[in-house]
Amino acid sequence: MRYTREQVEATRARIVTAASRRFRAHGSPGAAIATLMRDLKLTHGGFYRHFTSKDQLFEEALDAAVEEMSAQMAAVAEAAPPSGARAAIITTYLSDAHCAHVERGCPLAALGTDIARLPRRSRDVCHRLLMAYARRMARYMPGATETEREQHATVLFSGMAGTLTLARTISDPVARARVLASARAFYQTQ
Amino acid sequence: MRYTREQVEATRARIVTAASRRFRAHGSPGAAIATLMRDLKLTHGGFYRHFTSKDQLFEEALDAAVEEMSAQMAAVAEAAPPSGARAAIITTYLSDAHCAHVERGCPLAALGTDIARLPRRSRDVCHRLLMAYARRMARYMPGATETEREQHATVLFSGMAGTLTLARTISDPVARARVLASARAFYQTQ
DNA sequence: TGTACATCAGTGAACGCGCGTTCACTGATGTAC
DNA sequence: TGTACATCAGTGAACGCGCGTTCACTGATGTAC
């Protein structure tokens, strides 16, 4: 073997991480494998030594994005006083900074409509990943039962994702900030 | 001239209407001009007698979608007692029926992330169309000033669009209906 | 009124490009003997 | 320990396909005379 198992897995991980950013920034059709590999100083042919198809990469990249995002949100929640965890999440999620960085931000806001259009099998896989995200956020949500908290997380995060997506269509920074601020106020009082 | 002005404009309108459905269902990269024209019993070459590019069609199709959707929502609001207009909008927007028909539904929920990724010039055009939608809905929203009502409409509709998009990733009808019901309850009490 | 020509929506072949995927090949290292 | 062979991550050319766009052409109708 030319490379050790560690090297091979490191390369694979680099591809997944880079893909998770590029897919969020440009969508799957907008992110070509050849470009992705070239920017990693690799050639596109080698891609298929690691993945069977672009679709498989998409799923793994989404998994990585969900993991990255939910870890960030959990960190924000844990840093806040217990009663302010939900508020801290809302402030961070609907921040100008999050809005400005699709490629590192919430995969639902970045890829929602693309996932909704996927054929059933892939859509189910993706949806399961998104549900894990909601489940992880549930502990910071109000509600008497785990199910209630999960549903609250689902509605809150999908709602904020919609507003973030809309904010990203706005070129004017002032107008964009105003929409984000309105949404923060809206969800904070709920 | 082979065709009268009426015939030419009727053909053009048919193309825009069909495109507005197909773009919402499959996104712009997923909706090919050749297929679109073929289903209208036309050939793809003729397309360029009516439009200069696919991008131009996208903008006109989005305009039509916004018009269709906001007219539907306005009708629902007008049919309700004045104090119940907002509630009626929420119930209709977050209904199973709306969720099941992307191609006739809210363009923000169907195309949000695609629009956010457009180059600046087209994104501005699209965003202006979406703002007209919010402006038209503002009259049914609470708020002391027109600006407040518009901001409320913006946050409410973008939020509902995010949840609708998420609901569309769910294959199981029961789970999907549960998410929509939770969101209806959430926004109704706000 | 009749005839010749111009117009232009629509046709269908062709072009060019990007992209996912395949494949024969390379060459450094692991392994068998 | 040394040598021959196997492995397989990575290379880069090539394939096939879909798609946006172009273009020469058609032919029915409008218009000029």
Side-chain angles (χ1 to χ4, degrees), chain A residues 53-87:
Chain A
S53 69
K54 194 184 184 185
D55 288 349
Q56 190 203 343
L57 178 63
F58 183 85
E59 289 171 11
E60 294 202 27
L62 180 66
D63 194 359
V66 165
E67 172 56 33
E68 181 184 2
M69 187 65 198
S70 59
Q72 261 175 47
M73 285 293 118
V76 164
E78 296 295 340
S83 66
R86 182 175 175 276

Side-chain angles (χ1 to χ4, degrees), chain A residues 113 124 151 158 163 171 182 190, chain B residues 113 124 151 158 171 182 190:
Chain A
T113 57
D124 286 350
Q151 289 283 327
S158 62
T163 303
S171 297
S182 299
Q190 173 76 20
Chain B
T113 56
D124 286 350
Q151 289 283 326
S158 62
S171 298
S182 300
Q190 176 76 18

Side-chain angles (χ1 to χ4, degrees), chain A residues 114-135:
Chain A
D114 303 73
I115 294 171
R117 274 180 218 129
L118 253 29
R120 176 164 179 157
R121 193 174 302 268
S122 333
R123 205 175 63 231
D124 286 350
V125 172
C126 294
H127 178 250
R128 225 167 291 132
L129 294 170
L130 293 176
M131 281 299 104
Y133 181 7
R135 219 170 298 118

Side-chain angles (χ1 to χ4, degrees), chain A residues 25-27 109-110 112-114 117 123-124 127 151 154 158-159 162-163 165-166 169-171 178 182 186-187 189-190, chain B residues 25-27 109-110 112-114 117 123-124 127 151 154 158-159 162-163 165-166 169-171 178 182 186-187 189-190:
Chain A
H26 307 112
T113 57
D114 303 73
R117 274 180 218 129
R123 205 175 63 231
D124 286 350
H127 178 250
Q151 289 283 327
T154 303
S158 62
T163 303
T165 300
L166 177 67
T169 69
I170 311 177
S171 297
R178 197 161 358 109
S182 299
F186 179 91
Y187 288 110
T189 60
Q190 173 76 20
Chain B
H26 307 112
T113 56
D114 303 72
R117 273 180 218 131
R123 203 176 63 231
D124 286 350
H127 179 249
Q151 289 283 326
T154 304
S158 62
T163 303
T165 300
L166 177 67
T169 70
I170 310 177
S171 298
R178 197 161 357 111
S182 300
F186 179 91
Y187 290 109
T189 60
Q190 176 76 18

Side-chain angles (χ1 to χ4, degrees), chain A residues 18-189:
Chain A
S20 122
R21 307 227 181 294
R22 295 183 98 90
F23 283 145
R24 277 180 276 180
H26 307 112
S28 180
I33 288 180
T35 317
L36 172 77
M37 294 296 277
R38 194 182 314 124
D39 289 6
L40 292 170
K41 312 283 181 214
L42 290 166
T43 53
H44 57 279
F47 175 81
Y48 293 88
R49 293 284 158 190
H50 294 281
F51 305 93
T52 62
S53 69
K54 194 184 184 185
D55 288 349
Q56 190 203 343
L57 178 63
F58 183 85
E59 289 171 11
E60 294 202 27
L62 180 66
D63 194 359
V66 165
E67 172 56 33
E68 181 184 2
M69 187 65 198
S70 59
Q72 261 175 47
M73 285 293 118
V76 164
E78 296 295 340
S83 66
R86 182 175 175 276
I89 284 174
I90 291 171
T91 304
T92 307
Y93 192 104
L94 291 170
S95 65
D96 293 356
H98 185 193
C99 191
H101 295 289
V102 215
E103 77 283 357
R104 290 175 175 262
C106 178
L108 180 59
L111 297 167
T113 57
D114 303 73
I115 294 171
R117 274 180 218 129
L118 253 29
R120 176 164 179 157
R121 193 174 302 268
S122 333
R123 205 175 63 231
D124 286 350
V125 172
C126 294
H127 178 250
R128 225 167 291 132
L129 294 170
L130 293 176
M131 281 299 104
Y133 181 7
R135 219 170 298 118
R136 189 158 171 189
M137 294 297 105
R139 58 180 302 159
Y140 310 110
M141 299 294 134
T145 65
E146 176 63 15
T147 309
E148 264 181 59
R149 289 189 290 273
E150 256 179 60
Q151 289 283 327
H152 188 101
T154 303
V155 172
L156 175 64
F157 272 84
S158 62
M160 295 195 299
T163 303
L164 195 66
T165 300
L166 177 67
R168 285 178 178 148
T169 69
I170 311 177
S171 297
D172 174 32
V174 177
R176 199 192 308 133
R178 197 161 358 109
V179 168
L180 291 171
S182 299
R184 286 195 300 269
F186 179 91
Y187 288 110
Q188 296 287 12
T189 60

